[in-house]
Amino acid sequence: MEIVAYGVLADEQPLLHDAFDRAFGGSHELRCLGLFLNRDTAPTAAGHEVVLSSVNDTLDADVLRALAKGGTRMIAQRATGYNNIDLAAAEELGLAVARVSFYSPYSVAEFAWALALAVDRRIVRAAHRTREFDFRLDGLMGRDLHGRTAGVVGTGKIGAAFARIAHGFGMRLLGWDITENPDCLALGMQYVERERLFAEADLVSLHVPLLPDTHHLVDAHALALMKDDAILVNSSRGGLVDTDALLETLRAGRLSGVGLDVYEEEAGVFFLDKSLEVMTDERLARLMTFSNVLVTSHQAYFTRDAVGQIAETTTGNVVDYFAGRPSGNTLVPRRETGTGR
């Protein structure tokens, strides 16, 4: 059987092939495609019982119907987030769905800190200058983070890893989550109401999933509460931040720095080369004009360790599907009447 994977990056492909070769020993072939799965590309999945999706694929009801019509019975999402998949439609169509519920939390936490330090110490601006042999320090002054307050929004595995690094910097820790993490409490973290966290933190880092309750968690009200010289970092999901409200805040000269590895309208832009095109997304283009804003293309997870774990878990999800057994990664279980082998 041939299994098809969409949105596969060049550096990801060998890790995915290695994981499949170890699991199946050649009994199933893996076809890796760089194109994203959507209404236009769904017909290319015809005849493939198992489809491996990426976080930037569009798996709405229409796409899922097209997949089911073409013979697809299982979707294995190569990511933790699954807000791009219509689970209700998948269940109705009899499509099994699984995700990667866990991979290296250090990849994202460390990258969030890279963003925070880069905007605090003006690293990108400094690097551009020195390439032109301009070694002035004007406009490059940052500030110590030691002794200041880190607000960690979401204290799961990634948030806790971020908090441990903040603790190493000697920062005071504030946290917000629906449950308190004992590991974070052991670091001295104080759990507070969301409004207090935004008001008191010098650095706010987002580590919650994108759900209806967290959509635009950082809205105009939250931004108004933040200190004028605060730093905001989002390495989780773009929809957590209201981009229009963020632009208004930046235009008012507020916030010392913003590091964004995700953007709420990133689909169709991130992971693609748009350098020879006119950027039609005016909000993204405006964000790029602020010297204190650093945007990267959803790469926080992109380490050999994390991508290797994602490949292994995705392969395990396919093995579980063929065996007819659910796991902690199952979002929609396989129907017993499915055609999986």
Side-chain angles (χ1 to χ4, degrees):
M1 176 189 298
E2 184 179 71
I3 295 168
V4 62
Y6 288 88
V8 180
L9 304 173
D11 292 332
E12 176 191 13
Q13 184 167 330
L15 297 174
L16 202 53
H17 274 293
D18 287 347
F20 265 74
D21 288 343
R22 286 192 297 272
F24 298 115
S27 60
H28 299 297
E29 295 183 10
L30 177 65
R31 182 185 180 199
C32 292
L33 302 178
L35 64 131
F36 294 114
L37 186 54
N38 53 40
R39 295 185 187 187
D40 294 330
T41 61
T44 64
H48 295 89
E49 182 175 336
V50 177
V51 167
L52 311 186
S53 59
S54 75
V55 72
N56 275 338
D57 292 329
T58 301
L59 295 167
D60 57 20
D62 288 340
V63 172
L64 294 176
R65 276 192 289 269
L67 293 178
K69 184 178 180 181
T72 297
R73 296 294 177 265
M74 193 266 182
I75 296 168
Q77 174 96 326
R78 305 190 317 279
T80 299
Y82 52 90
N83 55 286
N84 61 319
I85 306 174
D86 188 332
L87 296 182
E91 185 171 9
E92 181 181 343
L93 292 163
L95 294 172
V97 183
R99 64 162 178 159
V100 177
S101 59
F102 173 81
Y103 59 85
S104 169
Y106 310 108
S107 60
V108 179
E110 291 171 5
F111 193 84
W113 268 105
L115 289 175
L117 292 170
V119 296
D120 177 46
R121 302 305 299 271
R122 319 296 191 230
I123 299 297
V124 175
R125 182 186 295 181
H128 285 319
R129 282 189 185 179
T130 54
R131 280 187 175 274
E132 300 296 327
F133 301 101
D134 179 353
F135 299 102
R136 294 172 299 157
L137 297 182
D138 296 342
L140 301 182
M141 182 175 285
R143 58 178 176 171
D144 293 358
L145 293 176
H146 176 84
R148 288 189 161 83
T149 300
V152 187
V153 180
T155 57
K157 291 181 174 65
I158 296 174
F162 184 91
R164 282 193 290 272
I165 299 172
H167 183 261
F169 272 90
M171 300 186 75
R172 171 188 175 227
L173 297 174
L174 295 180
W176 178 81
D177 209 328
I178 56 175
T179 59
E180 298 183 356
N181 187 330
D183 292 337
C184 292
L185 291 172
L187 297 172
M189 176 178 284
Q190 180 182 4
Y191 280 86
V192 297
E193 294 297 322
R194 187 170 60 193
E195 289 76 11
R196 180 179 169 188
L197 184 149
F198 285 127
E200 295 186 15
D202 299 290
L203 165 62
V204 174
S205 190
L206 308 180
H207 301 287
V208 293
L210 180 59
L211 303 169
D213 288 343
T214 61
H215 181 256
H216 285 181
L217 184 74
V218 180
D219 56 10
H221 175 65
L223 290 163
L225 291 172
M226 291 177 66
K227 297 178 180 180
D228 288 347
D229 59 354
I231 293 171
L232 173 65
V233 173
N234 185 11
S235 57
S236 183
R237 289 292 180 266
L240 299 177
V241 177
D242 183 338
T243 306
D244 290 328
L246 178 59
L247 285 168
E248 287 300 320
T249 300
L250 291 166
R251 275 195 286 261
R254 300 184 60 247
L255 300 184
S256 174
V258 177
L260 302 174
D261 185 52
V262 289
Y263 169 62
E264 61 180 325
E265 300 295 337
E266 68 183 54
V269 178
F270 282 20
F271 300 158
L272 300 173
D273 182 2
K274 297 289 185 177
S275 61
L276 299 180
E277 302 177 23
V278 174
M279 177 48 63
T280 57
D281 187 327
E282 294 184 1
R283 295 189 298 172
L284 181 58
R286 288 177 188 170
L287 279 173
M288 297 292 197
T289 65
F290 293 95
S291 62
N292 61 336
V293 174
L294 175 57
V295 178
T296 52
S297 53
H298 207 141
Q299 70 181 82
Y301 78 99
F302 204 55
T303 66
R304 175 171 291 274
D305 309 82
V307 175
Q309 290 172 5
I310 290 169
E312 292 288 346
T313 302
T314 300
T315 302
N317 289 338
V318 176
V319 170
D320 287 340
Y321 164 76
F322 287 135
R325 59 175 177 253
S327 73
N329 296 321
T330 301
L331 297 172
V332 179
R334 170 185 166 179
R335 283 186 185 172
E336 290 303 320
T337 55
T339 62
R341 298 184 295 280

